[in-house]
Amino acid sequence: MILFPAIDLKDGQCVRLKLGDMEQATVFNDDPAAQAKAFEEQGFEYLHVVDLNGAFAGESVNGAAVEAILKAVDFPVQLGGGIRTLAHIESWLEKGLARVILGTVAVRDPELVKAACKAFPGQVAVGIDARGGKVAVEGWAETSELSAIDLARRFEGAGVAAIIYTDIDRDGVLKGINWPSTLELANATSIPVIASGGLAGIEDIRRMTDPDAQILQGAISGRALYDGRIDSREALALLKGEAA
């Protein structure tokens, strides 16, 4: 079970949004590479990064910040936001990313996702961001008629490394992970699922250790880590079944 600390990039800074709203951004660090290094030193073993500007623009906008992160740390990094072509995927993987996360393109061009999985086995994840159970795209600016489960099932057997499932209605508001919908999705697909959106505190970490949650690959934490609501040492010890 992996706990992924999150770095969301906006205008070169490390921020957290509220409900995916770019106008409701709180800056937590103006040096994303230093923040990534701090997470590594705290004992985390994998980093989740999102290029927020890129998600809206449809291309990398915070590339320099991502490259600085990759140079600063040794642990694996996954990146989403604005990655829409095979050439773009290949370029990022060559720069040292462990895996790319495809969101909007998974809805718009599922065949590209399947081709990417074939070309880069184990290095392509799909980001499913849902509002009211329906998949949102273009940096969450648009909501489709597609359900999260229907989208996940499109990629059964395609070689997708993981699904990052975000409940937009809980993102950045510390209401707790939407466990029913997250576990429903995880049980509806054979692809490993990572929970995202709303992780509020140590109770969510404890919930991750319950038997029914073991189906998940892990969960992503953003604001709760930055606000100090979660002690990284305690959380990581809990997930490893150790006393902090």
Side-chain angles (χ1 to χ4, degrees):
M1 183 73 73
I2 303 168
L3 182 60
F4 298 78
I7 290 181
D8 287 359
L9 297 168
K10 178 177 184 280
D11 306 330
Q13 297 177 308
C14 180
V15 307
R16 296 305 296 166
L17 302 186
K18 189 174 181 181
L19 302 173
D21 184 352
M22 290 285 269
E23 300 304 312
Q24 298 191 68
T26 304
V27 177
F28 282 100
N29 198 325
D30 58 10
D31 187 343
Q35 182 63 63
K37 189 67 182 170
F39 282 141
E40 186 175 45
E41 289 170 350
Q42 288 167 33
F44 291 100
E45 296 176 354
Y46 214 122
L47 180 66
H48 175 78
V49 180
V50 178
D51 181 345
L52 294 171
N53 302 102
F56 284 92
E59 60 186 12
S60 285
V61 175
N62 290 286
V66 177
E67 289 183 41
I69 288 170
L70 290 172
K71 287 189 179 107
V73 299
D74 293 320
F75 63 176
V77 179
Q78 63 184 21
L79 172 70
I83 303 173
R84 309 274 169 91
T85 68
L86 275 174
H88 207 172
I89 293 164
E90 183 173 18
S91 172
W92 271 122
L93 293 175
E94 285 176 350
K95 288 174 181 174
L97 277 180
R99 64 186 174 199
V100 297
I101 303 164
L102 306 179
T104 294
V105 76
V107 176
R108 304 274 195 245
D109 189 358
E111 292 308 311
L112 185 145
V113 177
K114 293 173 184 176
C117 290
K118 195 170 286 187
F120 311 107
Q123 293 186 286
V124 178
V126 167
I128 298 182
D129 306 329
R131 183 184 284 114
K134 299 294 185 181
V135 176
V137 294
E138 308 293 347
W140 302 351
E142 299 175 24
T143 304
S144 72
E145 287 304 306
L146 196 61
S147 79
I149 288 174
D150 287 342
L151 180 57
R153 284 179 172 158
R154 280 186 181 179
F155 300 109
E156 281 290 337
V160 171
I163 288 170
I164 291 89
Y165 174 69
T166 304
D167 184 331
I168 297 170
D169 298 319
R170 299 202 180 206
D171 188 68
V173 294
L174 300 164
K175 285 185 177 176
I177 288 171
N178 184 335
W179 289 104
S181 66
T182 301
L183 294 176
E184 181 185 18
L185 175 64
N187 283 295
T189 177
S190 63
I191 304 167
V193 171
I194 298 167
S196 173
L199 198 149
I202 205 69
E203 284 308 314
D204 275 317
I205 304 296
R206 287 197 184 94
R207 181 69 180 84
M208 288 168 67
T209 67
D210 288 349
D212 64 337
Q214 296 304 298
I215 193 172
L216 299 176
Q217 189 175 95
I220 293 166
S221 178
R223 188 175 291 270
L225 276 174
Y226 292 103
D227 284 352
R229 292 166 191 265
I230 291 177
D231 177 87
S232 56
R233 185 167 166 266
E234 181 185 6
L236 291 169
L238 254 176
L239 291 178
K240 289 177 180 173
E242 302 166 357

